[in-house]
């Protein structure tokens, strides 16, 4: 009877040990699996956000007003479209200004929120004086596999012109009877068109000169960078 009781006790103890080992092993396997998936998700997040280009491609549309006549603050707009994949993060944009007295310079900046593929968005700015305004998009990091610098896209120039009405003469047709002919002074509309053309031509020449100088500076910087890269590659080859 005693031996039977001892055998039963050993049997129960064996079952208890087996169940304990089974539960412990299952717990370790589950923890390892969770850790693996957690590390994998974290690694994917680091790759997407911190390293790789998300294949987005922001470009300006062409259907926005590029000439505005106003002597009071006016809202100018430039449309953009994402022609690539959906963005996985935000990017930046800038607003630049130039006129006959000052070169092209940044006057404002902002954030472009994540845009889905083929979606559109309007960038706006409250222009408070005449001149030329341009928007600049800064592409997402790594655009077209360029991880050394941030690629940019410029909008077309938006010209704001002010015609001071206080200096305009009232156009009152003056009829003079002289040898059976009638003479008439130029209309306000003709004077206005002529003034706009003169201002636009003058400002356009100044902006083109400034842009030519900027292009030359960029080209010189690229030449210097290429020379540095070449020297670095030659140094590596010699080693």
């Amino acid at each position: 009877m005693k031996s039977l009781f001892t055998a039963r006790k050993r049997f129960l103890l064996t079952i208890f040990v087996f169940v304990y080992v089974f539960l412990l092993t299952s717990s370790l396997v589950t923890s390892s699996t969770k850790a693996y998936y957690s590390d994998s998700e974290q690694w994917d997040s680091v790759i997407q956000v911190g390293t790789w280009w998300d294949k987005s491609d922001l470009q300006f549309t062409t259907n926005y007003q590029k000439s505005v006549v106003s002597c009071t603050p006016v809202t100018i707009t430039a449309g953009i479209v994402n022609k690539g994949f959906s963005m996985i993060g935000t990017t930046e944009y800038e607003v630049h200004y130039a006129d006959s007295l000052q070169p092209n310079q940044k006057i404002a900046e902002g954030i472009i929120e994540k845009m889905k593929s083929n979606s559109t968005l309007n960038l706006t700015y409250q222009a408070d004086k005449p001149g030329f305004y341009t928007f600049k998009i800064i592409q997402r990091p790594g655009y077209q596999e360029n991880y050394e610098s941030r690629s940019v896209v410029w909008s077309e120039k938006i010209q704001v012109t002010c015609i001071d009405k206080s200096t305009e003469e009232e156009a009152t047709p003056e009829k003079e009877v002289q040898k059976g002919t009638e003479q008439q002074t130029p209309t306000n509309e003709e004077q206005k068109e002529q003034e706009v053309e003169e201002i636009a031509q003058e400002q356009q020449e100044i902006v083109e000169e400034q842009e030519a100088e900027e292009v030359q500076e960029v080209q010189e910087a690229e030449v210097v960078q290429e020379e540095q890269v070449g020297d670095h590659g030659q140094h590596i080859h010699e080693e």
Side-chain angles (χ1 to χ4, degrees):
M1 185 72 179
K2 185 177 181 180
S3 60
L4 179 62
F5 176 77
T6 303
R8 181 180 296 179
K9 186 176 180 180
R10 290 179 179 175
F11 176 74
L12 293 175
L13 182 61
T14 303
I15 292 178
F16 175 78
V17 172
F18 176 78
V19 172
Y20 176 77
V21 172
F22 175 77
L23 293 176
L24 180 62
T25 304
S26 300
S27 176
L28 292 174
V29 171
T30 303
S31 299
S32 299
T33 304
K34 289 182 178 179
Y36 172 77
Y37 282 118
S38 177
D39 293 342
S40 177
E41 291 173 359
Q42 184 177 4
W43 177 249
D44 290 342
S45 177
V46 170
I47 290 177
Q48 290 179 351
V49 177
T51 306
W52 301 106
W53 170 40
D54 58 13
K55 304 297 182 181
S56 61
D57 184 9
L58 304 183
Q59 299 294 332
F60 285 99
T61 62
T62 57
N63 56 344
Y64 56 91
Q65 191 173 5
K66 302 174 183 65
S67 179
V68 180
V69 178
S70 177
C71 292
T72 59
V74 60
T75 300
I76 57 176
T77 303
I80 63 175
V81 58
N82 182 8
K83 295 185 176 181
F85 288 73
S86 297
M87 298 166 57
I88 63 174
T90 62
T91 191
E92 306 84 40
Y93 75 93
E94 298 175 354
V95 183
H96 288 243
Y97 172 82
D99 61 10
S100 58
L101 301 178
Q102 67 182 45
N104 185 41
Q105 63 177 0
K106 183 176 72 172
I107 56 174
E109 58 185 7
I111 298 296
I112 300 176
E113 298 296 336
K114 292 187 292 186
M115 296 179 62
K116 294 183 178 180
S117 178
N118 296 320
S119 62
T120 58
L121 178 70
N122 286 331
L123 302 179
T124 60
Y125 179 75
Q126 189 79 1
D128 56 359
K129 56 184 176 180
F132 289 94
Y133 295 83
T134 49
F135 290 85
K136 181 173 78 171
I137 296 173
I138 302 175
Q139 299 281 11
R140 289 278 302 159
Y143 178 75
Q144 293 185 348
E145 309 304 331
N146 177 17
Y147 296 97
E148 299 297 329
S149 60
R150 298 287 295 278
S151 301
V152 301
V153 181
W154 290 88
S155 72
E156 295 186 48
K157 291 185 288 291
I158 302 175
Q159 181 182 7
V160 177
T161 307
C162 172
I163 304 299
D164 190 357
K165 294 183 179 181
S166 63
T167 61
E168 293 181 356
E169 296 182 358
E170 299 246 353
T172 53
E174 207 174 333
K175 295 183 179 179
E176 294 180 357
V177 179
Q178 185 178 11
K179 295 182 181 181
T181 62
E182 224 177 50
Q183 295 181 348
Q184 186 175 357
T185 59
T187 64
N188 282 344
E189 184 177 354
E190 293 174 347
Q191 293 177 351
K192 182 177 179 180
E193 291 179 354
Q194 184 177 358
E195 291 177 359
V196 170
E197 291 177 356
E198 292 176 353
I199 294 174
Q201 184 176 1
E202 180 181 353
Q203 294 181 342
Q204 180 70 23
E205 292 176 354
I206 295 174
V207 171
E208 288 178 353
E209 292 178 359
Q210 295 171 352
E211 290 180 346
E213 293 176 357
E214 291 179 358
V215 170
Q216 185 176 359
E217 291 178 357
V218 171
Q219 291 176 345
E220 292 176 354
E222 290 178 350
V223 170
V224 172
Q225 184 177 6
E226 290 177 357
E227 291 177 352
Q228 293 176 350
V229 172
D231 294 340
H232 181 66
Q234 184 177 2
H235 177 69
I236 295 174
H237 180 70
E238 291 175 355
E239 292 181 351

